[in-house]
Amino acid sequence: MVNSLPLHAVSDEHARAVVRRHLHPETGSPFWLERDRRLGTDAYARVDGWESAQELLAFRDESDQEAYEEASRRRPVEDFIPADVVRDADFLWAAQTGGTTGLPKHATWGGAYWKHVSEFSHYAMDTHGIPRDCNWLYISPMGPHTIGRLVVDWAESRGGMCFSIDLDPRIVKIFGEEGMTDAYNRYVQHIWDQVTAVLQSQRIGVIYGTARLLEMLPEYVDARLLKDVLGVVHAGTTLPVQSHKLLREDVFPGVPVLGMYGSSTTSISWQKPFEPEDEHKLVYIPSSPSVSIDVVGEDNVPVAFGEEGRVRVWRLTHDQLLPGFLERDRARRVQPYGAAAELFPWAWIGDPFSPEFTEGRRVEGVY
């Protein structure tokens, strides 16, 4: 396996360049400059590498992170981007989070970052055997959700077209939270009616869906409509081991099934090459150095390999800085192993999940 990707562990040079871009006194990001002055960090002058960036810039406490989250909901997105990037970037995709913890947060994915993610994505799909030159069916949120635009880009750049359905995960969650059981069930049926219509009329080679929807698929879709599917990609909350095994061995036997973990903040982490020693557990490789993901304990220190903790994210791109954001998700911290270990020698994560939405298998809507 040869790695020709621009992926590597976070270097001092990369960390320093990103921090100096966002904290430049004249062209830096307004929000991060304001925070730097308020905290007296003087990060532009003091950050000389990855270690000092983590020491000086990481969110100090829960209130510090909450201040960022609230600002990202209510302030113009340009306040978080260096002025020269706003001026010179080839494009800036305005992304929204899912809005499951209040108003959606806003961020961007710039052109250079998009290219970085795209290259890693095609590499992962080719390595796992997801075919080219065929059409995709996208069963997941579109609209302001970054994954929708990404999947359309993947399908078209790999030689196919992307068929998508109307899916609003926010209204599904409202139905569930407000006890509107009939409305929830009817909306779920509406999703599968649309899926069936596309599968009946179009040549579909790859299906992309949230993990939760793929778990539901055998119940709602005639297996005969899936006989020409040559690849499956899933994201959202992680698949339980038994569901992953069922998809690979019973629903799509002999068809590559590839998992992705990510969001507007965590970016894209792709499932490691599937190997027997995985025992159908899902292990993901973060797209370092643009995004560094680790798993930490209550003291915000990385847990030992094999242990479970809270997912913490560093976004280190020229259009966005995110210094040690604590996600609600939990995961295992995984030491690289198997065929890809030497190519991607930074910490991986295993079986991420959101406790408040998976305890007792109470899954977050259709995610």
Side-chain angles (χ1 to χ4, degrees):
M1 189 183 297
V2 178
N3 179 9
S4 58
L5 297 169
L7 271 68
H8 56 79
V10 179
S11 64
D12 289 339
E13 180 182 6
H14 180 80
R16 183 170 56 248
V18 170
V19 171
R20 289 178 70 84
R21 193 83 178 259
H22 283 275
L23 275 301
H24 190 282
E26 297 177 1
T27 59
S29 308
F31 176 84
W32 297 114
L33 283 170
E34 292 168 16
R35 177 177 179 266
D36 184 73
R37 287 192 291 268
R38 185 174 70 252
L39 297 178
T41 309
D42 194 19
Y44 183 84
R46 296 174 63 195
V47 168
D48 59 4
W50 180 215
E51 183 176 348
S52 59
Q54 294 176 85
E55 292 174 353
L56 292 169
L57 288 179
F59 287 118
R60 303 290 179 88
D61 50 33
E62 187 174 314
S63 63
D64 189 20
Q65 178 168 313
E66 286 178 352
Y68 160 76
E69 293 187 80
E70 190 62 17
S72 69
R73 292 183 174 108
R74 301 184 182 279
R75 291 181 57 164
V77 72
E78 290 89 349
D79 284 359
F80 302 87
I81 314 170
D84 56 346
V85 175
V86 174
R87 183 191 66 224
D88 299 333
D90 49 354
F91 77 88
L92 289 166
W93 161 250
Q96 281 188 9
T97 59
T100 57
T101 56
L103 287 174
K105 297 185 285 289
H106 297 86
T108 55
W109 290 45
Y113 179 44
W114 193 275
K115 182 174 184 292
H116 173 94
V117 169
S118 181
E119 290 178 358
F120 186 28
S121 299
H122 288 301
Y123 172 88
M125 285 185 270
D126 290 340
T127 299
H128 283 260
I130 302 298
R132 291 176 178 262
D133 301 315
C134 59
N135 297 332
W136 288 49
L137 171 57
Y138 177 76
I139 316 171
S140 197
M142 189 64 78
H145 306 279
T146 303
I147 188 58
R149 180 168 173 175
L150 279 169
V151 172
V152 170
D153 184 45
W154 296 339
E156 294 174 350
S157 61
R158 294 176 71 82
M161 293 177 285
C162 185
F163 294 86
S164 60
I165 65 168
D166 283 332
L167 196 165
D168 182 354
R170 295 173 184 171
I171 195 63
V172 179
K173 290 171 196 151
I174 289 172
F175 290 157
E177 290 167 356
E178 297 186 1
M180 302 168 66
T181 305
D182 289 344
Y184 174 87
N185 291 336
R186 183 64 187 89
Y187 195 93
V188 169
Q189 185 61 56
H190 174 59
I191 292 170
W192 293 111
D193 289 345
Q194 295 175 85
V195 169
T196 296
V198 173
L199 289 171
Q200 287 174 334
S201 63
Q202 304 301 323
R203 298 186 180 96
I204 300 298
V206 177
I207 289 179
Y208 177 99
T210 66
R212 175 56 179 147
L213 284 171
L214 290 179
E215 284 186 285
M216 299 165 68
L217 185 145
E219 177 184 352
Y220 286 91
V221 175
D222 188 332
R224 290 172 294 184
L225 295 176
L226 305 174
K227 62 182 177 61
D228 295 326
V229 173
L230 302 173
V232 177
V233 182
H234 64 85
T237 52
T238 196
L239 276 172
V241 169
Q242 288 304 315
S243 297
H244 186 212
K245 189 173 187 291
L246 178 71
L247 280 178
R248 282 185 172 273
E249 298 181 355
D250 296 336
V251 183
F252 297 103
V255 170
V257 177
L258 171 60
M260 186 195 76
Y261 173 67
S263 69
S264 292
T265 51
T266 54
S267 181
I268 301 296
S269 296
W270 283 107
Q271 184 181 352
K272 65 173 288 295
F274 184 72
E275 295 165 309
E277 55 263 46
D278 298 338
E279 298 178 332
H280 287 92
K281 295 178 181 178
L282 287 162
V283 177
Y284 299 96
I285 303 170
S287 53
S288 180
S290 291
V291 171
S292 175
I293 300 180
D294 217 331
V295 179
V296 300
E298 294 299 323
D299 55 1
N300 285 346
V301 174
V303 300
F305 287 119
E307 297 297 317
E308 181 187 300
R310 192 171 177 183
V311 173
R312 183 177 62 183
V313 183
W314 282 78
R315 168 85 176 267
L316 297 164
T317 63
H318 289 302
D319 63 301
Q320 288 287 309
L321 174 66
L322 194 60
F325 185 89
L326 284 167
E327 288 280 356
R328 65 186 177 186
D329 292 356
R330 297 183 66 81
R332 287 182 296 113
R333 187 169 184 253
V334 178
Q335 185 169 18
Y337 67 93
E342 291 187 10
L343 300 179
F344 310 105
W346 48 90
W348 301 349
I349 60 171
D351 300 313
F353 68 99
S354 297
E356 63 266 47
F357 295 114
T358 55
E359 290 175 356
R361 293 298 297 143
R362 182 170 68 87
V363 180
E364 179 183 346
V366 292
Y367 272 125

